[in-house]
Amino acid sequence: MMTKRCGYVTIVGKPNVGKSTLLNNIAQKKISIVTHKAQTTRKNVKLIRNIGDNQIIFTDTPGVETSVKSNLGKHLNKTSYMSTFDADIIIFMTSYNKWNKNDEVVLKNIKESGLPTILVINKIDRLKKRDDVLPVINMIRKKHDFIEIIPMSALREQEISKFLTIITDHLPQQAPLIENESLYQPNDSFIITERVREHILKNVHQEIPYETTVQVEKIEDEETIKKVHVVIWVNTDGQKRILIGKKGSVLKIIGTNTRLDLEKYFEKKIHIKLWVKIKNDWWNNEDFIERTEV
Ligand code: GDP
Ligand code: MG
């Protein structure tokens, strides 16, 4: 008899390690038709991926992602946060090059949850040799008993399918819990952030897309129009100038193309405001972490 596997998976990690990129790349081809009905489930489903007879249900960590005002550390230390780790497996994502105290905070909470955890060390496409990740693996594996350690690049399709196969193997044996995947849709902020990022990638070159983070500040839903306010955070004044372009030309293209995509997606008129702001070394900045998603 074929054993089917299905379960809930939550991806956690400090900002900028690639969580959204991974989810987006997992979702890209799957979520093409969505309904606009908000689902009220016990768990906040972000994305469902069927692989053969198996099903992976990715869930949000609502305690973190919706509470943009609270400090990451404080927030993660709250016991209430632990209940949001309501998953069969946790994916703990970090980047090969920037382990710091924010990773430690996330790991502490993982330990407290007692849930089986897979460590993903992301962005290894930036390494000259794949083996260069070995010292990082050795450093982190001493900190916790992970059920699996996966060095990968969330940008590479091939590695994503390998990743999906590995996590499926760790899910409970049961038939798919959710039948109609088209009933579920990722939240609006996620869709908006990813579309903006896509058009940054398409319109500016060099390393800039990797040094930016996109944050939805506000969404105003009106009857016939959705108004979105988005901040693109960069590190330097030079990056800001490139992103804005001559007389705002680059930012305008990014904004227009994002708007067109979002209008198709939401089947609604979209009004989009984009700001480019500088935040030096924002990934280490506590103030910044207070204001962004995890
Ligand atoms: P999140 O804050 O954890 O959701 O991280 P994001 O998905 O927003 O990614 C942060 C930045 O890292 C973005 O600029 C991504 O394009 C970049 N990024 C994500 N995954 C990879 C990867 O595998 N390789 C490289 N080189 N960059 C990545
Ligand atoms: Mg994200």
Side-chain angles (χ1 to χ4, degrees):
M1 197 185 81
M2 273 278 290
T3 48
K4 292 179 186 169
R5 291 184 184 272
C6 171
Y8 290 93
V9 173
T10 297
I11 304 180
V12 298
K14 69 182 176 188
N16 202 40
V17 293
K19 300 180 298 298
S20 301
T21 305
L22 177 64
L23 269 175
N24 190 46
N25 287 339
I26 291 169
Q28 224 159 39
K29 293 183 193 77
K30 295 306 284 188
I31 300 201
S32 44
I33 310 160
V34 290
T35 68
H36 302 294
K37 222 191 251 165
Q39 289 294 304
T40 43
T41 51
R42 188 167 68 89
K43 294 184 170 110
N44 193 359
V45 172
K46 195 163 193 166
L47 167 69
I48 298 157
R49 182 71 198 256
N50 292 324
I51 299 155
D53 286 337
N54 305 312
Q55 184 176 66
I56 308 170
I57 307 164
F58 291 95
T59 58
D60 258 351
T61 49
V64 178
E65 295 212 331
T66 56
S67 177
V68 285
K69 289 225 167 58
S70 63
N71 174 276
L72 173 69
K74 263 191 268 165
H75 197 84
L76 292 176
N77 279 319
K78 264 196 230 148
T79 47
S80 64
Y81 176 66
M82 296 320 303
S83 65
T84 67
F85 276 8
D86 191 9
D88 295 303
I89 294 179
I90 292 178
I91 306 292
F92 173 31
M93 198 163 191
T94 187
S95 168
Y96 75 92
N97 60 344
K98 286 208 179 86
W99 181 272
N100 66 19
K101 68 176 191 310
N102 290 327
D103 294 289
E104 299 283 357
V105 173
V106 179
L107 182 57
K108 180 169 169 281
N109 285 275
I110 287 171
K111 283 179 183 295
E112 281 167 16
S113 79
L115 291 169
T117 301
I118 293 176
L119 171 69
V120 167
I121 302 173
N122 194 31
K123 306 196 187 184
I124 65 157
D125 55 288
R126 291 206 205 154
L127 289 170
K128 282 211 189 73
K129 296 194 303 289
R130 213 184 153 92
D131 278 359
D132 290 344
V133 75
L134 293 176
V136 185
I137 292 178
N138 284 330
M139 183 266 296
I140 307 175
R141 78 166 0 136
K142 288 193 193 111
K143 296 174 186 285
H144 187 71
D145 193 9
F146 297 101
I147 57 171
E148 200 86 59
I149 297 179
I150 310 174
M152 71 178 286
S153 167
L155 303 178
R156 292 184 182 149
E157 208 174 312
Q158 228 185 347
E159 298 190 23
I160 289 171
S161 38
K162 253 192 264 165
F163 163 81
L164 292 174
T165 310
I166 296 171
I167 54 178
T168 305
D169 287 344
H170 291 282
L171 295 177
Q173 293 188 359
Q174 58 184 339
L177 292 167
I178 294 166
E179 268 177 30
N180 189 351
E181 64 185 283
S182 70
L183 285 178
Y184 293 83
Q185 70 176 115
N187 68 34
D188 290 359
S189 293
F190 180 71
I191 296 294
I192 294 164
T193 307
E194 298 317 309
R195 288 290 77 76
V196 173
R197 175 164 296 140
E198 180 188 329
H199 290 295
I200 294 173
L201 272 168
K202 283 183 180 160
N203 289 287
V204 296
H205 302 288
Q206 302 149 346
E207 79 291 357
I208 290 174
Y210 304 109
E211 304 243 319
T212 61
T213 193
V214 179
Q215 180 183 26
V216 173
E217 288 234 302
K218 194 159 69 170
I219 303 174
E220 294 167 277
D221 261 311
E222 293 172 16
E223 190 93 35
T224 56
I225 191 166
K226 192 188 266 297
K227 296 180 179 167
V228 297
H229 297 232
V230 177
V231 178
I232 303 169
W233 293 96
V234 296
N235 288 327
T236 64
D237 197 43
Q239 291 172 346
K240 180 173 172 175
R241 262 182 280 131
I242 293 172
L243 256 179
I244 290 175
K246 250 192 204 137
K247 291 185 182 157
S249 55
V250 175
L251 197 61
K252 192 159 181 212
I253 292 171
I254 294 168
T256 305
N257 291 340
T258 303
R259 179 175 58 75
L260 293 172
D261 278 359
L262 294 178
E263 284 179 345
K264 252 188 239 154
Y265 182 88
F266 291 113
E267 294 171 354
K268 206 174 186 179
K269 225 174 148 44
I270 301 286
H271 185 249
I272 184 162
K273 270 198 172 145
L274 290 176
W275 285 271
V276 182
K277 295 187 186 175
I278 303 171
K279 196 78 186 178
N280 292 320
D281 204 13
W282 52 263
W283 52 78
N284 286 322
N285 185 315
E286 297 291 340
D287 288 343
F288 180 75
I289 290 166
E290 279 183 26
R291 305 183 66 247
T292 189
E293 63 153 345
V294 176

